Amino acid sequence: MFSQIIFKNKKIIDKSTSELDLFEILLENRQIKKTEYDDFFNPHFPSESDFNVDKKEVKKAVDRVNLAIKNKENILIYGDYDVDGITSTAILWQVLYRLGAKVLPYVPDRETDGYGIKAKSFFNFESEKNIHFDLLITVDNGIVATKELEEISKKNTDIIIVDHHLPTETLPKVLSIIHSIDFSGSSLSWYFASLFDKNADLGLAATGAVADCLPLVGINRNIVVHGLQSLHLNPNPGVKKLIEISGVKQDSLSTYDLGFVIGPRINAVGRLSNPTEALRLLCSQNQEQASKYAQNLDKFNKDRQLIQKDNLKIAEESLLNNSDKLVFIANKEFLPGIIGLIAGRLTEKYYLPSIIISVGKEYSKASCRSVKELNIIESLREFNNDLVELGGHAGAAGFTIKTENIEKFKTKITKHINKQLKNIDLKPSITVESEMKLSAVNIKNCKLINKFEPFGIDNPKPLFLFKNLKIIQKRVLGSTGDHLKLQFDGVDAIAFKKGDLDKTLNIGDSINIIASLDLNVWNGSVTPQLVVKEIFPV
């Protein structure tokens, strides 16, 4: 629960507020200048000049790939097991395959391979396929894999890195590095692939960008806007089946759907099993096969939800007496593929950095999430010698550690983070556009707000504070009563995942809520409704 509300604007929006006034409030809150209107509301199709990468490195990479295609050399695209990594791999593989390249894709197994390129995994795959790869292209990984790539390059394999992660001081010595921290791995993969084929899959690039929580401003916004348009009109067969089986509407697919409906299904198989099935789905051109893979991914996602719920309960029970400014939980019951989700949930709930470890016999995997006041990767790098491998960003990281060293490391990192955050009052906050009255909840304002889509990081869906609302009706929704439907004075509201509040709220009670505006389409009728983010007492 948040402890403070931050208002972007102090104006109160009511029935007297014109559409133009509301429009200008939203523009001002996003610091969008008049000179930027056209780019924001009519974003251009992404072009080569939009990407801030070293063009000399790009030319070397393009020339090497063209040579490999011409000479029928063997190419391996080595990705990652999350949505961004799988989409990155699929985008580049599709293009090179269409061009007639002898190319294979590979995504590592979370447990057996681990994160990032591993020389051992690469050589094992060569043996399995009885192929020597003349060219290796890493996508969404590779920028910190100096030792692993050095070992591979000794075996007469040229290497191209396409990555967006934070580099260390020493870059790998490879043929070419296409790198920028401003984009998702999928966006960089699309950029590279589009240099060979302008029809590279921008819908997959948008999916990876949203799933990897990239800021939806500037060129990232352009990628997602045009990627969504591609998905609305002509998604690839695998994504089309995934859209169908998940129950969302293709022609109105949104960033929410990519981040919370489609993305989790692509991720789920890699969390619980080998992610290759997700890659096969995205690369599939056969409708029957795509349907089978989509059904399997949907089942994996349902299993993931149940396991996550059980693991989260275990984690919550471990926190009863925590007084540190760090959540640190190690448990052999935790699945490696679920710990990132647990860390994210705990950091969101308690507003503390979290380190969650899946304990193995000899080695253990950790996933970390942080608050804005602490750069988690910098803190972890202070103890790099205690870890087997480490990677990540300011807000999220992961590492492998010897199981026997967990307790010693816990003492060190807890002391370090307690010191880092000693004089900082960690107060979770929620930001709203302004206060709004129910009288301003109408179809015109809903449509105006939707002009600011797609919503995401740095362009969030507008939230408003509504004060002193009297509950006229209420009921729970969903097969297990997970959601709560409320009715105020002429306005309906849906509160997802808040069904448990039904027992504490009564008809006639007055409450404050923080909510966004939405259009509810039902049986041909369109009505405005509120989507509730928070409920709290008057």
Side-chain angles (χ1 to χ4, degrees), residues 64-78 93 96 100-105 122 125-127 129-137 152 155-160:
R64 183 64 185 89
V65 170
N66 282 330
L67 183 65
I69 295 172
K70 178 183 176 183
N71 294 338
K72 299 293 182 184
E73 294 179 274
N74 294 308
I75 306 171
L76 178 67
I77 302 169
Y78 195 114
W93 177 83
L96 297 188
K102 293 178 65 178
V103 59
L104 286 176
F122 174 80
F125 192 64
E126 280 192 323
S127 298
K129 297 295 182 182
N130 194 25
I131 292 173
H132 169 69
F133 290 105
D134 306 287
L135 177 61
L136 165 66
I137 307 173
I152 292 170
K155 302 292 185 179
N156 296 320
T157 296
D158 286 335
I159 300 168
I160 296 169

Side-chain angles (χ1 to χ4, degrees), residues 392-422:
H393 306 285
F399 63 83
T400 302
I401 187 172
K402 283 188 174 181
T403 301
E404 62 186 21
N405 293 335
I406 290 175
E407 285 305 314
K408 182 176 68 175
F409 175 71
K410 178 181 179 180
T411 301
K412 287 182 181 180
I413 193 69
T414 302
K415 183 180 178 181
H416 175 78
I417 289 178
N418 280 341
K419 185 178 179 181
Q420 291 284 102
L421 300 176
K422 182 179 179 181

Side-chain angles (χ1 to χ4, degrees), residues 296-310:
N296 288 345
L297 263 61
D298 194 57
K299 181 182 181 303
F300 271 112
N301 191 51
K302 289 172 182 174
D303 292 343
R304 184 272 305 168
Q305 290 171 328
L306 294 173
I307 295 168
Q308 180 183 337
K309 189 174 182 180
D310 290 342

Side-chain angles (χ1 to χ4, degrees), residues 11 43 54 155 271 275 308 323 347 383 389 416 504 512 520 522:
K11 293 179 182 177
D54 188 330
K155 302 292 185 179
R271 294 188 185 282
Q308 180 183 337
S323 59
T347 290
F383 307 98
E389 59 181 4
H416 175 78
T504 61
N512 295 335
N520 183 32
W522 182 254

Side-chain angles (χ1 to χ4, degrees), residues 316-483:
E316 293 270 21
E317 289 169 353
S318 303
L319 281 177
L320 295 177
N321 298 311
N322 183 55
S323 59
D324 295 306
K325 291 201 172 184
L326 170 69
V327 171
F328 190 110
I329 307 171
N331 195 302
K332 64 183 180 181
E333 298 292 321
F334 295 158
L335 283 186
I338 303 295
I339 53 178
L341 299 173
I342 298 172
R345 288 290 181 88
L346 295 178
T347 290
E348 181 182 2
K349 181 173 182 178
Y350 296 102
Y351 202 70
L352 292 170
S354 298
I355 296 176
I356 307 300
I357 301 180
S358 170
V359 178
K361 287 185 179 180
E362 185 178 357
Y363 294 98
S364 297
K365 302 280 186 180
S367 193
C368 319
R369 298 292 182 271
S370 194
V371 294
K372 65 178 183 288
E373 290 84 356
L374 180 80
N375 185 318
I376 191 68
I377 191 68
E378 284 185 0
S379 293
L380 291 168
R381 280 176 177 168
E382 292 286 324
F383 307 98
N384 210 15
N385 292 337
D386 295 318
L387 308 175
V388 177
E389 59 181 4
L390 169 67
H393 306 285
F399 63 83
T400 302
I401 187 172
K402 283 188 174 181
T403 301
E404 62 186 21
N405 293 335
I406 290 175
E407 285 305 314
K408 182 176 68 175
F409 175 71
K410 178 181 179 180
T411 301
K412 287 182 181 180
I413 193 69
T414 302
K415 183 180 178 181
H416 175 78
I417 289 178
N418 280 341
K419 185 178 179 181
Q420 291 284 102
L421 300 176
K422 182 179 179 181
N423 298 317
I424 299 175
D425 188 12
L426 296 177
K427 284 186 176 180
S429 61
I430 188 165
T431 300
V432 300
E433 305 291 330
S434 64
E435 184 182 341
M436 181 180 276
K437 301 295 184 182
L438 278 184
S439 60
V441 181
N442 55 50
I443 289 176
K444 286 193 298 184
N445 284 341
C446 288
K447 288 182 176 179
L448 185 145
I449 288 169
N450 287 342
K451 288 181 180 179
F452 287 80
E453 290 182 327
F455 299 119
I457 306 296
D458 286 359
N459 181 37
K461 186 158 191 175
L463 291 172
F464 300 92
L465 171 66
F466 295 84
K467 287 183 177 180
N468 206 21
L469 303 184
K470 186 177 181 180
I471 300 173
I472 307 299
Q473 291 184 29
K474 69 181 182 77
R475 62 189 173 98
V476 293
L477 300 176
S479 57
T480 56
D482 286 346
H483 316 304

Side-chain angles (χ1 to χ4, degrees), residues 180-191:
S180 172
I181 61 172
D182 296 332
F183 307 97
S184 65
S186 60
S187 294
L188 285 176
S189 180
W190 177 86
Y191 159 72

Side-chain angles (χ1 to χ4, degrees), residues 9 60 147 217 329 355 518 523:
N9 198 295
K60 285 192 289 184
K147 292 181 180 178
V217 293
I329 307 171
I355 296 176
D518 200 9
N523 286 339

